[in-house]
Amino acid sequence: MDMRLLSTALPLPAAVPTCLLVLLLVLAGCGGDAPDRIDPAEAPRISAPSDTAQGYPSIEQSALNDPFPAPDLTLTTLEGDQIALRDTEGPVVLNFWATWCPPCRKEIPDLIDIQNEYGNQGLTLVGVSRDQEGESVVTPFVEDMEINYPIVVEKDNQLEEALGTVYALPTTVLISPEGQVTHSIMGLFDVDSLREQLDAWVDAEEAVADRS
């Protein structure tokens, strides 16, 4: 087993025993297939921002064999805004994270940059906090980090269970403009390949708009 995975993806807390069990089985070499979901045994060993990820798996290597529709769920942000996943226009990036997770904190500056670059091009970027303490720890952290994208605190596991692709933190899930869950990235993501995927989706959307 490549021990670098342990430094870039942390198991979820005891509040989500099913996902933790799956992760432990994978690390023990006993992971099994999940129909229509990414196989944890085939998940990227590690991914990271481009300045430290020479030769590591790109976004393409985290693509699901069988994309599936985004869950029919509405998320409520810290500010009280609602995001209906099936009603969004453009691509969606869901980043599962926690304040206690060092790899999660490492990728926040890249997510801030992604929001700055693509937020006005139709991207919906949402940070999904798995902090069981809730808003009392998440809100001051968001303010200190000057996070510029919506944050949702998920305590009930509903979104995670609906996706079926979240085995550790951080995990980043991509939803195409057509509303299909297409990628699930366990560990730090490669920021350059994420930009390439978003560019492809944005360009395709603009091409469709130009023809209409």
Side-chain angles (χ1 to χ4, degrees):
M1 179 185 68
D2 191 333
M3 296 302 293
R4 288 175 295 179
L5 174 59
L6 298 180
S7 68
T8 59
L10 300 179
L12 292 172
V16 284
T18 301
C19 292
L20 178 56
L21 175 61
V22 172
L23 177 63
L24 292 175
L25 289 175
V26 172
L27 294 179
C30 301
D33 291 336
D36 297 327
R37 299 292 190 271
I38 190 170
D39 179 359
E42 297 175 355
R45 292 180 294 119
I46 178 177
S47 54
S50 57
D51 59 348
T52 59
Q54 302 298 328
Y56 287 121
S58 65
I59 296 294
E60 288 76 11
Q61 291 172 276
S62 66
L64 302 181
N65 292 328
D66 298 302
F68 56 94
D72 188 12
L73 295 175
T74 298
L75 311 178
T76 302
T77 71
L78 288 176
E79 291 76 23
D81 298 323
Q82 293 192 325
I83 301 172
L85 291 179
R86 289 194 177 178
D87 292 341
T88 57
E89 297 181 0
V92 178
V93 174
L94 301 175
N95 177 254
F96 290 82
W97 68 289
T99 60
W100 46 261
C101 165
C104 303
R105 297 196 296 267
K106 177 180 175 66
E107 64 189 4
I108 287 175
D110 285 321
L111 292 168
I112 291 173
D113 288 343
I114 291 293
Q115 176 67 17
N116 284 331
E117 294 168 27
Y118 296 92
N120 62 353
Q121 300 185 60
L123 172 67
T124 299
L125 169 57
V126 183
V128 183
S129 167
R130 299 299 288 113
D131 288 274
Q132 294 304 300
E133 299 87 346
E135 292 82 353
S136 63
V137 298
V138 176
T139 297
F141 181 88
V142 169
E143 293 173 350
D144 289 343
M145 292 292 293
E146 298 183 353
I147 294 176
N148 60 347
Y149 49 88
I151 297 294
V152 170
V153 176
E154 188 190 49
K155 299 178 186 177
D156 60 9
N157 245 13
Q158 189 177 18
L159 176 58
E160 179 185 304
E161 291 177 355
L163 289 168
T165 64
V166 182
Y167 305 108
L169 298 178
T171 290
T172 302
V173 175
L174 307 187
I175 303 175
S176 72
E178 294 75 31
Q180 295 289 303
V181 178
T182 58
H183 300 72
S184 185
I185 308 144
M186 185 170 69
L188 293 165
F189 57 81
D190 180 278
V191 67
D192 288 342
S193 60
L194 177 58
R195 285 190 175 99
E196 290 174 2
Q197 180 62 70
L198 294 175
D199 284 338
W201 279 335
V202 169
D203 291 345
E205 290 283 282
E206 291 177 349
V208 170
D210 290 341
R211 290 197 298 269
S212 60

